[in-house]
Amino acid sequence: MTNFVNSEAFFKWYDSVSADKRYDKDKLLDEVFQQYCRTRKSSFELPAEKTVTGKAETYSYEFEDLGKCGGSALFIYF
């Protein structure tokens, strides 16, 4: 299970840079996690074509895996 901490700060940033003002918050958080899994970078990158500035935008966060004994507790701190 992935836990998102202080996600409102991330949504505030996303609202300020994204051209898409109608988005699903749960799907966006899933995309943050999927992007981390693909890149292993603790930052979410929004490509230039999806921003209001026309430039790529990045939001850095902290990722922590507290899994023990076969269990999994993943945290993303915005």
Side-chain angles (χ1 to χ4, degrees):
M1 175 176 209
T2 306
N3 301 283
F4 299 95
V5 180
N6 197 22
S7 57
E8 288 307 315
F10 175 71
F11 295 137
K12 184 176 180 181
W13 167 82
Y14 190 84
D15 288 337
S16 72
V17 298
S18 176
D20 179 14
K21 301 303 180 196
R22 300 178 72 202
Y23 60 92
D24 181 299
K25 289 181 176 183
D26 290 331
K27 286 183 181 178
L28 180 57
L29 290 176
D30 184 57
E31 177 57 29
V32 170
F33 179 66
Q34 295 304 320
Q35 197 175 98
Y36 174 82
C37 291
R38 287 190 305 272
T39 66
R40 295 294 185 209
K41 293 181 183 177
S42 295
S43 61
F44 179 77
E45 295 182 22
L46 192 61
E49 62 273 9
K50 293 185 176 183
T51 68
V52 294
T53 62
K55 296 185 284 186
E57 300 284 350
T58 303
Y59 189 96
S60 296
Y61 56 84
E62 292 182 40
F63 179 85
E64 185 175 28
D65 182 355
L66 298 177
K68 292 189 173 34
C69 301
S72 182
L74 307 174
F75 289 86
I76 291 180
Y77 302 96
F78 294 107

